[in-house]
C-alpha cells in the first residue's frame, strides 16, 4: 500500500495554481481522494496513467468535503466509470447528493449582500459555480472512527472548514490525507483557506486533532505533501 500525490496545475484569474488530490494504491486497487474542479477529469486521468496505473482499476473515490474544487469532477468520474464506489461522510453526503443546499452556497449568498461592487462580480460568479455543480449520490456514508479500504484507513472527523469534513489516517503508513483540514504553508501545517471556514473554532480543533496523530507524512490538498 502507498499514497501518491497528484499535482494538478491550472490557471485561475491569471495565476498558476496547483492542487494535490491523492491516489491510494492497494495491490491493483486504486482509490482517488477528491476530484478537483469541474472538467478536471482529463488532468487527473493524465497524472494517473503517466505513472502506468490503469483507470479500470479505480475502485473508489473518497470525498473529504463538498467544496467545488473537491467535487467538481465527481459527476464526470461516475459517468465515465460507473462502477466506482463513492465514499463521503454521512453529513457531507446530503450536500453532495443535493438533498440539502450546501452550507457553502448559503454562506456565499449571505455574504453577497455586504460585498462592494467589485467583490460582487466575483461573488455572483462563485454562487453560479456552486449552483452548476452536478449532484451525485454517495454509495458509502462514513463516520468518525470507521475503518475503510480493507480496514487500512481510519476516517477522522475534522469539521470546521465544513461541518462534515473528514480526513484519512493510515496507521501502517503513519500518514494522513488532510483534505482542507490542513494546508502546507511554507512547510508548516496551517488551517486551509481560513476565510472560507464555516467554524473557525472547530477548524482549529481539527487541525490539532490531526497534528496529535503525530504522522510522519501529511498529504495536503493545498500546498502538497508535508513530511515531519
Amino acid at each position: 500500500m502507498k499514497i501518491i500525490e497528484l499535482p494538478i496545475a491550472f490557471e485561475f484569474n491569471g495565476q498558476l495554481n496547483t492542487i494535490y488530490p491523492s491516489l491510494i494504491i492497494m495491490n491493483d486497487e486504486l482509490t482517488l481522494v477528491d476530484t478537483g474542479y469541474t472538467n478536471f477529469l482529463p488532468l487527473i486521468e493524465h497524472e494517473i496513467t503517466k505513472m502506468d496505473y490503469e483507470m479500470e482499476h479505480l475502485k473508489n473515490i473518497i470525498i473529504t468535503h463538498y467544496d467545488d474544487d473537491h467535487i467538481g469532477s465527481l459527476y464526470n468520474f461516475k459517468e465515465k466509470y460507473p462502477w466506482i464506489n463513492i465514499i463521503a461522510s454521512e453529513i457531507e453526503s446530503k450536500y453532495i447528493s443535493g438533498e440539502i443546499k450546501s452550507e457553502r452556497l448559503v454562506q456565499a449568498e449571505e455574504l453577497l449582500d455586504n460585498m462592494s461592487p467589485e467583490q460582487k462580480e466575483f461573488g455572483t460568479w462563485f454562487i453560479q459555480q456552486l449552483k452548476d455543480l452536478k449532484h451525485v449520490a454517495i454509495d458509502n456514508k462514513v463516520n468518525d472512527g470507521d475503518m475503510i479500504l480493507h480496514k487500512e484507513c481510519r476516517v477522522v472527523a475534522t469539521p470546521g472548514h465544513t461541518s462534515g469534513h473528514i480526513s484519512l489516517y493510515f496507521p501502517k503508513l503513519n500518514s494522513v490525507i488532510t483534505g482542507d483540514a490542513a494546508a502546507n504553508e511554507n512547510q508548516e501545517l496551517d488551517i486551509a483557506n481560513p476565510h472560507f471556514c464555516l467554524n473557525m473554532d472547530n477548524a482549529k480543533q481539527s487541525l490539532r486533532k490531526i497534528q496529535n496523530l503525530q504522522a510522519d507524512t501529511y498529504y495536503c490538498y493545498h500546498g502538497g505533501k508535508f513530511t515531519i
Side-chain angles (χ1 to χ4, degrees), residues 20-139:
Y20 297 87
S22 296
L23 186 69
I24 303 159
I25 299 100
M26 301 178 68
N27 298 319
D28 287 333
E29 181 181 301
L30 304 178
T31 297
L32 175 67
V33 183
D34 294 328
T35 67
Y37 287 103
T38 303
N39 299 322
F40 272 31
L41 184 149
L43 299 177
I44 294 174
E45 284 179 323
H46 175 72
E47 288 299 317
I48 293 174
T49 56
K50 82 176 187 180
M51 293 183 290
D52 294 327
Y53 295 110
E54 297 180 11
M55 295 304 298
E56 287 73 18
H57 293 158
L58 183 61
K59 182 176 180 181
N60 308 292
I61 291 178
I62 302 175
I63 297 296
T64 60
H65 65 294
Y66 58 71
D67 274 335
D68 62 331
D69 57 332
H70 293 255
I71 68 165
S73 289
L74 181 59
Y75 179 89
N76 304 104
F77 270 98
K78 186 67 171 181
E79 187 176 47
K80 186 170 182 179
Y81 307 107
W83 63 82
I84 290 176
N85 179 51
I86 300 176
I87 304 168
S89 78
E90 191 164 6
I91 295 171
E92 297 288 299
S93 66
K94 60 189 177 184
Y95 303 120
I96 298 168
S97 66
E99 295 172 54
I100 301 177
K101 180 191 287 190
S102 80
E103 301 161 307
R104 185 71 68 220
L105 180 54
V106 172
Q107 178 193 44
E109 290 175 337
E110 289 176 349
L111 289 173
L112 189 66
D113 292 336
N114 297 317
M115 287 182 175
S116 67
E118 295 79 14
Q119 293 172 321
K120 277 190 175 182
E121 183 178 356
F122 173 80
T124 301
W125 172 86
F126 183 58
I127 287 170
Q128 193 58 52
Q129 291 292 109
L130 298 179
K131 288 182 175 180
D132 288 343
L133 286 172
K134 294 183 177 180
H135 300 301
V136 182
I138 302 303
D139 301 304

